[in-house]
């Protein structure tokens, strides 16, 4: 049924060449959407787009560093051109991290993480607003983290960017409901991607993660992309402003 489909829809997914973003691009395209994505490394992006074309997916990509304002503006003008000034789905997926004790973050560290994770998402929502509104039915999904829901050992700056994204979903949900745009936040716990390869190769660290996780495993990128797709379909039309954790139960796990 149309309620469970993305046929005829258009999407922008940031950071689609690896990890969660890659899974989101593939999920949305497999469900019928035309997708545009971006990343910084041109070679890897070109290779991905070739693979997607071979699978019959309608995916294009352009090089863009979403931490840079002018590049975000260029990205949205590419998207407007490709999709005729309309967009149904915006997935703000790009985010990165490096963990330090709070007393050791430099001013540059702070600016870099804020620009990459939070300012990019905020400004891309602003830039995409006219296109999302023009489509008649828009969905914004912010890829946040459980680190913006509970305090864990991944560093305070990262946690602040993710907590702010969860709040942004609430504000935009209320402000843009009149434009028929929904906004939700998806908050993963550990997911097997290149970003966390280092963490997941340390056995003592993984043991610590697993004993806090009722399902006793980390997640797969496809376990995030399925929720992103659901939140972009007509069948989720009354869900907005929510932060949904995808975490094997981690955020509800107290002393047990
Ligand atoms: P990866 O580092 O594995 O992939 C990141 C993707 O984004 C790549 O395609 C990368 O390509 C692109 N990217 C990174 N920086 C930029 C930039 N400045 N401009 C444009 N593209 C960029 O990350 P994950 O898939 O693990 O993470 C995706 C999101 O999920 C992030 O927001 C992260 O915080 C969140 N998350 C991840 C968790 C996990 O355990 N993996 C847990 C909770 C949340 P390139 O380097 O070529 O630019």
């Amino acid at each position: 049924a149309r309620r469970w489909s993305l046929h005829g829809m258009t999407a922008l997914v940031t950071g689609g060449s690896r990890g969660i973003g890659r899974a989101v691009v593939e999920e949305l395209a497999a469900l019928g959407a035309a997708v545009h994505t971006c990343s910084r490394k041109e070679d890897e992006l070109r290779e991905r787009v070739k693979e997607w074309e071979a699978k019959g997916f309608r995916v294009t990509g352009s090089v863009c560093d979403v931490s840079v304002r002018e590049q975000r503006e260029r990205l949205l003008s590419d998207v407007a051109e490709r999709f005729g000034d309309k967009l149904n789905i915006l997935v703000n997926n790009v985010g990165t991290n490096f963990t330090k004790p709070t007393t050791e973050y430099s001013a540059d560290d702070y600016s870099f993480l804020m620009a990459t994770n939070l300012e990019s998402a905020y400004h891309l929502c602003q830039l995409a607003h006219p296109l999302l509104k023009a489509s008649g039915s828009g969905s914004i999904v912010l890829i946040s983290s459980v680190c913006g829901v509970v305090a864990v050992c991944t560093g305070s700056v990262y946690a602040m960017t993710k907590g702010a994204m969860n709040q942004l979903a609430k504000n935009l949900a209320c402000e843009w409901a009149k434009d028929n745009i929904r906004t939700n936040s998806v908050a993963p716990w550990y997911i097997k991607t290149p970003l966390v390869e280092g963490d997941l190769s340390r056995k003592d660290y993984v043991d610590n993660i697993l004993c806090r996780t009722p399902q006793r495993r980390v997640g797969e990128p496809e376990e995030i992309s399925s929720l992103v797709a659901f939140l972009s379909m007509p069948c989720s039309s009354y869900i907005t402003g929510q932060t949904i954790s995808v975490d094997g139960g981690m955020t509800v796990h107290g002393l047990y």
Side-chain angles (χ1 to χ4, degrees), residues 17-18 20 40-41 64-66 93 144 158 162 191 193:
S17 63
R18 293 194 300 279
I20 292 171
R40 291 165 304 177
K41 295 190 202 86
C64 169
D65 180 341
V66 300
N93 163 72
S144 121
Y158 182 75
K162 299 303 189 179
I191 305 296
T193 73

Side-chain angles (χ1 to χ4, degrees), residues 27 87 91 120 126-127 137 176 178 197 203-204 244:
E27 189 95 47
L87 184 69
V91 183
S120 68
Q126 284 184 319
L127 291 170
S137 170
W176 292 348
K178 64 172 179 10
E197 236 163 31
K203 189 181 177 309
D204 55 329
I244 303 174

Side-chain angles (χ1 to χ4, degrees), residues 122-197:
Y122 184 76
H123 187 216
L124 288 172
C125 288
Q126 284 184 319
L127 291 170
H129 174 261
L131 283 75
L132 291 162
K133 185 176 173 181
S135 76
S137 170
S139 166
I140 299 171
V141 179
L142 304 168
I143 305 296
S144 121
S145 166
V146 293
C147 308
V149 177
V150 295
V152 292
C153 56
T154 49
S156 54
V157 184
Y158 182 75
M160 286 163 67
T161 65
K162 299 303 189 179
M165 289 169 84
N166 297 341
Q167 183 61 40
L168 179 61
K170 298 177 197 179
N171 279 69
L172 296 187
C174 297
E175 201 175 329
W176 292 348
K178 64 172 179 10
D179 301 322
N180 208 22
I181 299 168
R182 297 181 296 113
T183 308
N184 292 286
S185 207
V186 169
W189 178 222
Y190 269 96
I191 305 296
K192 270 184 237 157
T193 73
L195 179 67
V196 297
E197 236 163 31

